[in-house]
Short mmCIF file of all heavy atoms in Angstrom, two decimals:
data_model
loop_
_atom_site.label_atom_id
_atom_site.label_comp_id
_atom_site.label_asym_id
_atom_site.label_seq_id
_atom_site.Cartn_x
_atom_site.Cartn_y
_atom_site.Cartn_z
N MET A 166 -4.33 28.52 0.28
CA MET A 166 -4.84 27.18 0.52
C MET A 166 -4.02 26.17 -0.29
O MET A 166 -3.69 26.40 -1.44
CB MET A 166 -6.31 27.12 0.11
CG MET A 166 -6.95 25.81 0.37
SD MET A 166 -8.72 25.91 0.02
CE MET A 166 -9.04 24.22 -0.26
N ARG A 167 -3.71 25.07 0.34
CA ARG A 167 -2.91 24.03 -0.31
C ARG A 167 -3.76 23.23 -1.30
O ARG A 167 -4.90 22.90 -1.02
CB ARG A 167 -2.35 23.12 0.76
CG ARG A 167 -1.38 22.13 0.23
CD ARG A 167 -0.75 21.37 1.36
NE ARG A 167 0.03 20.29 0.78
CZ ARG A 167 0.66 19.38 1.46
NH1 ARG A 167 0.60 19.41 2.76
NH2 ARG A 167 1.33 18.44 0.87
N GLN A 168 -3.18 22.92 -2.44
CA GLN A 168 -3.87 22.14 -3.47
C GLN A 168 -4.04 20.71 -2.98
O GLN A 168 -3.08 20.08 -2.54
CB GLN A 168 -3.06 22.17 -4.76
CG GLN A 168 -3.71 21.50 -5.92
CD GLN A 168 -2.83 21.53 -7.17
OE1 GLN A 168 -1.62 21.58 -7.09
NE2 GLN A 168 -3.46 21.52 -8.33
N PRO A 169 -5.27 20.15 -3.06
CA PRO A 169 -5.45 18.76 -2.64
C PRO A 169 -4.72 17.81 -3.58
O PRO A 169 -4.55 18.09 -4.77
CB PRO A 169 -6.97 18.55 -2.71
CG PRO A 169 -7.49 19.64 -3.58
CD PRO A 169 -6.51 20.77 -3.52
N THR A 170 -4.28 16.69 -3.04
CA THR A 170 -3.51 15.70 -3.78
C THR A 170 -4.28 14.39 -3.83
O THR A 170 -4.90 14.00 -2.85
CB THR A 170 -2.14 15.47 -3.10
OG1 THR A 170 -1.46 16.71 -3.03
CG2 THR A 170 -1.31 14.48 -3.88
N ALA A 171 -4.23 13.72 -4.98
CA ALA A 171 -4.91 12.42 -5.12
C ALA A 171 -4.01 11.44 -5.86
O ALA A 171 -3.39 11.79 -6.86
CB ALA A 171 -6.22 12.59 -5.88
N LEU A 172 -3.97 10.23 -5.36
CA LEU A 172 -3.31 9.13 -6.04
C LEU A 172 -4.41 8.19 -6.53
O LEU A 172 -5.19 7.68 -5.73
CB LEU A 172 -2.37 8.38 -5.10
CG LEU A 172 -1.75 7.09 -5.65
CD1 LEU A 172 -0.85 7.39 -6.85
CD2 LEU A 172 -0.98 6.37 -4.57
N VAL A 173 -4.46 7.98 -7.83
CA VAL A 173 -5.47 7.10 -8.42
C VAL A 173 -4.79 5.77 -8.73
O VAL A 173 -4.02 5.67 -9.69
CB VAL A 173 -6.08 7.73 -9.70
CG1 VAL A 173 -7.19 6.84 -10.23
CG2 VAL A 173 -6.59 9.13 -9.42
N ALA A 174 -5.07 4.77 -7.90
CA ALA A 174 -4.42 3.47 -8.03
C ALA A 174 -5.10 2.61 -9.08
O ALA A 174 -6.32 2.71 -9.29
CB ALA A 174 -4.43 2.75 -6.69
N CYS A 175 -4.32 1.78 -9.72
CA CYS A 175 -4.82 0.81 -10.71
C CYS A 175 -5.56 1.50 -11.85
O CYS A 175 -6.64 1.07 -12.26
CB CYS A 175 -5.70 -0.24 -10.03
SG CYS A 175 -4.88 -1.07 -8.66
N GLU A 176 -4.97 2.58 -12.34
CA GLU A 176 -5.57 3.29 -13.46
C GLU A 176 -4.51 3.60 -14.51
O GLU A 176 -3.54 4.29 -14.22
CB GLU A 176 -6.21 4.60 -13.02
CG GLU A 176 -6.96 5.21 -14.19
CD GLU A 176 -7.12 6.71 -14.15
OE1 GLU A 176 -6.21 7.41 -13.71
OE2 GLU A 176 -8.17 7.14 -14.60
N PHE A 177 -4.71 3.11 -15.71
CA PHE A 177 -3.78 3.42 -16.80
C PHE A 177 -4.45 4.26 -17.89
O PHE A 177 -3.77 4.80 -18.74
CB PHE A 177 -3.19 2.14 -17.41
CG PHE A 177 -4.19 1.24 -18.08
CD1 PHE A 177 -4.46 1.37 -19.41
CD2 PHE A 177 -4.86 0.27 -17.34
CE1 PHE A 177 -5.39 0.53 -20.04
CE2 PHE A 177 -5.77 -0.57 -17.94
CZ PHE A 177 -6.05 -0.44 -19.30
N SER A 178 -5.77 4.42 -17.84
CA SER A 178 -6.45 5.20 -18.87
C SER A 178 -6.23 6.70 -18.69
O SER A 178 -6.24 7.44 -19.67
CB SER A 178 -7.95 4.92 -18.86
OG SER A 178 -8.55 5.45 -17.68
N GLY A 179 -6.06 7.15 -17.46
CA GLY A 179 -5.88 8.57 -17.19
C GLY A 179 -7.19 9.34 -17.04
O GLY A 179 -7.17 10.53 -16.75
N ARG A 180 -8.32 8.69 -17.21
CA ARG A 180 -9.60 9.40 -17.17
C ARG A 180 -9.91 9.98 -15.80
O ARG A 180 -10.29 11.15 -15.69
CB ARG A 180 -10.73 8.47 -17.61
CG ARG A 180 -10.68 8.15 -19.08
CD ARG A 180 -11.86 7.28 -19.50
NE ARG A 180 -11.73 6.94 -20.90
CZ ARG A 180 -11.60 5.72 -21.35
NH1 ARG A 180 -11.62 4.69 -20.52
NH2 ARG A 180 -11.47 5.49 -22.64
N VAL A 181 -9.76 9.18 -14.75
CA VAL A 181 -10.06 9.68 -13.40
C VAL A 181 -9.03 10.73 -13.00
O VAL A 181 -9.36 11.78 -12.46
CB VAL A 181 -10.10 8.52 -12.39
CG1 VAL A 181 -10.27 9.04 -10.97
CG2 VAL A 181 -11.23 7.56 -12.74
N ARG A 182 -7.76 10.45 -13.27
CA ARG A 182 -6.69 11.41 -12.97
C ARG A 182 -6.96 12.76 -13.63
O ARG A 182 -6.87 13.81 -12.99
CB ARG A 182 -5.35 10.85 -13.46
CG ARG A 182 -4.18 11.81 -13.26
CD ARG A 182 -3.02 11.48 -14.16
NE ARG A 182 -3.40 11.62 -15.55
CZ ARG A 182 -2.96 10.83 -16.52
NH1 ARG A 182 -2.15 9.83 -16.26
NH2 ARG A 182 -3.34 11.04 -17.77
N ASP A 183 -7.32 12.74 -14.91
CA ASP A 183 -7.57 13.98 -15.64
C ASP A 183 -8.80 14.71 -15.12
O ASP A 183 -8.81 15.94 -15.04
CB ASP A 183 -7.70 13.70 -17.13
CG ASP A 183 -6.39 13.20 -17.75
OD1 ASP A 183 -5.33 13.33 -17.09
OD2 ASP A 183 -6.44 12.67 -18.87
N ALA A 184 -9.84 13.97 -14.73
CA ALA A 184 -11.04 14.60 -14.16
C ALA A 184 -10.70 15.27 -12.82
O ALA A 184 -11.16 16.39 -12.56
CB ALA A 184 -12.15 13.58 -13.97
N LEU A 185 -9.90 14.62 -12.01
CA LEU A 185 -9.50 15.23 -10.73
C LEU A 185 -8.63 16.46 -10.96
O LEU A 185 -8.75 17.46 -10.25
CB LEU A 185 -8.76 14.20 -9.87
CG LEU A 185 -9.63 13.12 -9.26
CD1 LEU A 185 -8.76 12.01 -8.66
CD2 LEU A 185 -10.56 13.70 -8.21
N THR A 186 -7.75 16.40 -11.95
CA THR A 186 -6.91 17.56 -12.29
C THR A 186 -7.78 18.75 -12.70
O THR A 186 -7.56 19.88 -12.26
CB THR A 186 -5.92 17.19 -13.40
OG1 THR A 186 -5.09 16.13 -12.95
CG2 THR A 186 -5.05 18.38 -13.78
N ARG A 187 -8.80 18.49 -13.52
CA ARG A 187 -9.71 19.56 -13.93
C ARG A 187 -10.49 20.13 -12.75
O ARG A 187 -10.85 21.30 -12.75
CB ARG A 187 -10.67 19.06 -15.01
CG ARG A 187 -10.04 18.87 -16.37
CD ARG A 187 -11.06 18.61 -17.47
NE ARG A 187 -11.84 17.41 -17.24
CZ ARG A 187 -11.50 16.18 -17.62
NH1 ARG A 187 -10.36 15.99 -18.26
NH2 ARG A 187 -12.28 15.15 -17.37
N ALA A 188 -10.71 19.31 -11.73
CA ALA A 188 -11.44 19.75 -10.54
C ALA A 188 -10.54 20.47 -9.53
O ALA A 188 -11.00 20.87 -8.47
CB ALA A 188 -12.11 18.55 -9.86
N GLY A 189 -9.24 20.59 -9.85
CA GLY A 189 -8.35 21.37 -8.99
C GLY A 189 -7.37 20.56 -8.16
O GLY A 189 -6.62 21.11 -7.37
N PHE A 190 -7.36 19.26 -8.32
CA PHE A 190 -6.44 18.40 -7.59
C PHE A 190 -5.10 18.31 -8.30
O PHE A 190 -5.03 18.46 -9.52
CB PHE A 190 -6.98 16.97 -7.50
CG PHE A 190 -8.07 16.78 -6.50
CD1 PHE A 190 -9.36 17.21 -6.77
CD2 PHE A 190 -7.82 16.14 -5.30
CE1 PHE A 190 -10.38 17.02 -5.86
CE2 PHE A 190 -8.84 15.94 -4.38
CZ PHE A 190 -10.12 16.39 -4.66
N TYR A 191 -4.05 18.04 -7.54
CA TYR A 191 -2.81 17.54 -8.13
C TYR A 191 -2.99 16.03 -8.10
O TYR A 191 -2.95 15.40 -7.03
CB TYR A 191 -1.58 17.96 -7.33
CG TYR A 191 -0.33 17.26 -7.80
CD1 TYR A 191 0.17 17.53 -9.07
CD2 TYR A 191 0.30 16.32 -7.02
CE1 TYR A 191 1.30 16.88 -9.53
CE2 TYR A 191 1.43 15.66 -7.48
CZ TYR A 191 1.92 15.95 -8.73
OH TYR A 191 3.04 15.30 -9.20
N ALA A 192 -3.26 15.42 -9.24
CA ALA A 192 -3.59 14.01 -9.31
C ALA A 192 -2.53 13.24 -10.09
O ALA A 192 -2.03 13.70 -11.11
CB ALA A 192 -4.95 13.82 -9.98
N VAL A 193 -2.24 12.05 -9.57
CA VAL A 193 -1.27 11.15 -10.19
C VAL A 193 -1.91 9.78 -10.29
O VAL A 193 -2.50 9.29 -9.33
CB VAL A 193 0.02 11.06 -9.34
CG1 VAL A 193 1.01 10.08 -9.95
CG2 VAL A 193 0.65 12.41 -9.15
N SER A 194 -1.80 9.16 -11.46
CA SER A 194 -2.29 7.79 -11.61
C SER A 194 -1.11 6.83 -11.44
O SER A 194 0.05 7.20 -11.61
CB SER A 194 -2.95 7.60 -12.97
OG SER A 194 -2.06 7.91 -14.02
N CYS A 195 -1.45 5.59 -11.08
CA CYS A 195 -0.42 4.57 -10.90
C CYS A 195 -0.97 3.24 -11.36
O CYS A 195 -2.09 2.86 -11.01
CB CYS A 195 -0.02 4.50 -9.43
SG CYS A 195 1.28 3.29 -9.10
N ASP A 196 -0.19 2.54 -12.15
CA ASP A 196 -0.59 1.23 -12.65
C ASP A 196 0.66 0.48 -13.11
O ASP A 196 1.70 1.10 -13.35
CB ASP A 196 -1.56 1.37 -13.82
CG ASP A 196 -2.32 0.08 -14.10
OD1 ASP A 196 -1.79 -0.79 -14.80
OD2 ASP A 196 -3.46 -0.03 -13.62
N LEU A 197 0.54 -0.83 -13.23
CA LEU A 197 1.65 -1.62 -13.76
C LEU A 197 1.87 -1.35 -15.24
O LEU A 197 2.98 -1.53 -15.75
CB LEU A 197 1.40 -3.11 -13.53
CG LEU A 197 1.37 -3.55 -12.06
CD1 LEU A 197 0.97 -5.02 -11.97
CD2 LEU A 197 2.71 -3.32 -11.39
N LEU A 198 0.82 -0.89 -15.92
CA LEU A 198 0.89 -0.57 -17.35
C LEU A 198 1.20 0.91 -17.55
O LEU A 198 0.89 1.74 -16.69
CB LEU A 198 -0.44 -0.89 -18.02
CG LEU A 198 -0.90 -2.34 -17.97
CD1 LEU A 198 -2.31 -2.46 -18.53
CD2 LEU A 198 0.06 -3.22 -18.73
N PRO A 199 1.77 1.29 -18.68
CA PRO A 199 1.97 2.71 -18.97
C PRO A 199 0.63 3.40 -19.18
O PRO A 199 -0.36 2.76 -19.55
CB PRO A 199 2.80 2.71 -20.25
CG PRO A 199 2.58 1.37 -20.87
CD PRO A 199 2.26 0.42 -19.75
N SER A 200 0.59 4.70 -18.97
CA SER A 200 -0.64 5.47 -19.16
C SER A 200 -0.99 5.56 -20.64
O SER A 200 -0.12 5.68 -21.49
CB SER A 200 -0.47 6.88 -18.59
OG SER A 200 -1.65 7.62 -18.75
N GLU A 201 -2.28 5.51 -20.91
CA GLU A 201 -2.74 5.66 -22.30
C GLU A 201 -2.72 7.12 -22.76
O GLU A 201 -2.78 7.39 -23.95
CB GLU A 201 -4.18 5.13 -22.43
CG GLU A 201 -4.30 3.65 -22.23
CD GLU A 201 -5.73 3.16 -22.35
OE1 GLU A 201 -6.68 3.93 -22.14
OE2 GLU A 201 -5.89 1.98 -22.67
N THR A 202 -2.66 8.06 -21.81
CA THR A 202 -2.66 9.48 -22.14
C THR A 202 -1.52 10.18 -21.43
O THR A 202 -0.97 9.67 -20.45
CB THR A 202 -4.00 10.15 -21.73
OG1 THR A 202 -4.16 9.99 -20.32
CG2 THR A 202 -5.18 9.54 -22.45
N ASP A 203 -1.17 11.37 -21.90
CA ASP A 203 -0.14 12.17 -21.24
C ASP A 203 -0.66 12.65 -19.89
O ASP A 203 -1.86 12.88 -19.71
CB ASP A 203 0.23 13.38 -22.10
CG ASP A 203 0.97 12.99 -23.36
OD1 ASP A 203 1.61 11.91 -23.36
OD2 ASP A 203 0.92 13.75 -24.34
N GLY A 204 0.24 12.82 -18.96
CA GLY A 204 -0.11 13.33 -17.64
C GLY A 204 0.74 12.65 -16.57
O GLY A 204 1.57 11.78 -16.87
N GLU A 205 0.54 13.08 -15.35
CA GLU A 205 1.31 12.54 -14.23
C GLU A 205 0.94 11.08 -14.03
O GLU A 205 -0.21 10.75 -13.75
CB GLU A 205 1.01 13.33 -12.95
CG GLU A 205 1.46 14.77 -13.00
CD GLU A 205 2.97 14.90 -12.89
OE1 GLU A 205 3.62 14.03 -12.29
OE2 GLU A 205 3.50 15.88 -13.41
N HIS A 206 1.92 10.20 -14.18
CA HIS A 206 1.67 8.77 -14.07
C HIS A 206 2.90 8.06 -13.54
O HIS A 206 4.02 8.36 -13.97
CB HIS A 206 1.30 8.19 -15.44
CG HIS A 206 0.99 6.72 -15.40
ND1 HIS A 206 -0.19 6.22 -14.91
CD2 HIS A 206 1.71 5.63 -15.79
CE1 HIS A 206 -0.19 4.89 -15.00
NE2 HIS A 206 0.96 4.51 -15.54
N ILE A 207 2.68 7.14 -12.63
CA ILE A 207 3.76 6.31 -12.11
C ILE A 207 3.50 4.89 -12.61
O ILE A 207 2.44 4.32 -12.34
CB ILE A 207 3.79 6.32 -10.57
CG1 ILE A 207 4.02 7.74 -10.07
CG2 ILE A 207 4.85 5.35 -10.05
CD1 ILE A 207 3.77 7.92 -8.60
N GLN A 208 4.45 4.36 -13.35
CA GLN A 208 4.32 2.98 -13.81
C GLN A 208 5.04 2.09 -12.81
O GLN A 208 6.26 2.14 -12.68
CB GLN A 208 4.90 2.80 -15.21
CG GLN A 208 4.66 1.41 -15.74
CD GLN A 208 5.13 1.23 -17.18
OE1 GLN A 208 5.42 2.20 -17.86
NE2 GLN A 208 5.20 0.00 -17.62
N GLY A 209 4.26 1.32 -12.07
CA GLY A 209 4.84 0.44 -11.06
C GLY A 209 3.77 -0.05 -10.10
O GLY A 209 2.57 0.18 -10.30
N ASP A 210 4.21 -0.68 -9.04
CA ASP A 210 3.34 -1.26 -8.03
C ASP A 210 2.87 -0.17 -7.07
O ASP A 210 3.67 0.48 -6.41
CB ASP A 210 4.10 -2.34 -7.27
CG ASP A 210 3.25 -3.13 -6.30
OD1 ASP A 210 2.14 -2.67 -5.95
OD2 ASP A 210 3.70 -4.20 -5.88
N VAL A 211 1.57 0.03 -6.97
CA VAL A 211 1.02 1.08 -6.11
C VAL A 211 1.36 0.83 -4.64
O VAL A 211 1.46 1.78 -3.86
CB VAL A 211 -0.51 1.24 -6.32
CG1 VAL A 211 -1.28 0.06 -5.74
CG2 VAL A 211 -1.00 2.55 -5.73
N LEU A 212 1.56 -0.42 -4.24
CA LEU A 212 1.91 -0.70 -2.84
C LEU A 212 3.25 -0.09 -2.46
O LEU A 212 3.46 0.30 -1.32
CB LEU A 212 1.91 -2.21 -2.59
CG LEU A 212 0.55 -2.89 -2.74
CD1 LEU A 212 0.69 -4.40 -2.54
CD2 LEU A 212 -0.46 -2.30 -1.77
N GLU A 213 4.15 0.05 -3.42
CA GLU A 213 5.43 0.71 -3.16
C GLU A 213 5.26 2.22 -3.05
O GLU A 213 5.94 2.89 -2.29
CB GLU A 213 6.43 0.35 -4.24
CG GLU A 213 6.81 -1.11 -4.24
CD GLU A 213 7.75 -1.47 -5.35
OE1 GLU A 213 8.35 -0.57 -5.97
OE2 GLU A 213 7.90 -2.68 -5.61
N VAL A 214 4.33 2.78 -3.80
CA VAL A 214 4.09 4.22 -3.81
C VAL A 214 3.42 4.66 -2.52
O VAL A 214 3.67 5.75 -2.02
CB VAL A 214 3.24 4.61 -5.04
CG1 VAL A 214 2.87 6.08 -5.02
CG2 VAL A 214 3.96 4.25 -6.32
N LEU A 215 2.57 3.83 -1.95
CA LEU A 215 1.84 4.20 -0.74
C LEU A 215 2.75 4.52 0.43
O LEU A 215 2.40 5.29 1.30
CB LEU A 215 0.87 3.08 -0.35
CG LEU A 215 -0.30 2.86 -1.30
CD1 LEU A 215 -1.11 1.66 -0.85
CD2 LEU A 215 -1.18 4.10 -1.37
N ASP A 216 3.94 3.99 0.45
CA ASP A 216 4.89 4.24 1.54
C ASP A 216 5.65 5.56 1.39
O ASP A 216 6.44 5.91 2.24
CB ASP A 216 5.89 3.09 1.65
CG ASP A 216 5.27 1.83 2.19
OD1 ASP A 216 4.23 1.91 2.86
OD2 ASP A 216 5.81 0.74 1.91
N TRP A 217 5.42 6.29 0.31
CA TRP A 217 6.14 7.53 0.06
C TRP A 217 5.74 8.64 1.03
O TRP A 217 6.51 9.56 1.27
CB TRP A 217 5.95 8.02 -1.37
CG TRP A 217 6.63 7.18 -2.39
CD1 TRP A 217 7.36 6.05 -2.19
CD2 TRP A 217 6.64 7.41 -3.80
NE1 TRP A 217 7.81 5.55 -3.38
CE2 TRP A 217 7.40 6.35 -4.39
CE3 TRP A 217 6.10 8.38 -4.61
CZ2 TRP A 217 7.61 6.27 -5.74
CZ3 TRP A 217 6.32 8.29 -5.97
CH2 TRP A 217 7.08 7.25 -6.51
N GLY A 218 4.51 8.61 1.55
CA GLY A 218 4.07 9.63 2.47
C GLY A 218 3.68 10.94 1.78
O GLY A 218 3.38 11.92 2.41
N GLY A 219 3.71 10.98 0.51
CA GLY A 219 3.36 12.18 -0.26
C GLY A 219 3.88 12.02 -1.67
O GLY A 219 4.75 11.21 -1.93
N ILE A 220 3.35 12.79 -2.55
CA ILE A 220 3.78 12.72 -3.95
C ILE A 220 4.50 14.02 -4.26
O ILE A 220 4.02 15.09 -3.93
CB ILE A 220 2.57 12.52 -4.86
CG1 ILE A 220 1.82 11.31 -4.43
CG2 ILE A 220 3.00 12.51 -6.30
CD1 ILE A 220 1.39 10.36 -5.46
N SER A 221 5.65 13.91 -4.84
CA SER A 221 6.38 15.14 -5.18
C SER A 221 6.76 15.14 -6.64
O SER A 221 6.64 14.19 -7.33
CB SER A 221 7.63 15.26 -4.32
OG SER A 221 8.43 14.12 -4.44
#
């Protein structure tokens, strides 16, 4: 079974991303600000990320 993927937009705290990761998702947060915690994070405009068609 393929691991579900989640993009958490407008989040720099990492709390939602980390909760989804613990629940079995491959989760990435995205915000204009850097993440407050370690983990998968994209610093930039989420509207640009939405056109990627997937997160790799």
Side-chain angles (χ1 to χ4, degrees):
M166 183 174 157
R167 187 173 172 184
Q168 185 181 27
T170 302
L172 172 64
V173 184
C175 305
E176 187 206 37
F177 64 92
S178 69
R180 290 184 183 117
V181 174
R182 177 201 63 216
D183 294 345
L185 287 169
T186 300
R187 286 190 299 273
F190 283 77
Y191 171 67
V193 178
S194 57
C195 181
D196 197 277
L197 295 174
L198 299 173
S200 181
E201 293 179 335
T202 60
D203 291 335
E205 295 286 333
H206 181 76
I207 299 168
Q208 185 175 347
D210 187 343
V211 72
L212 295 177
E213 294 177 15
V214 175
L215 292 176
D216 289 337
W217 290 2
I220 304 226
S221 55

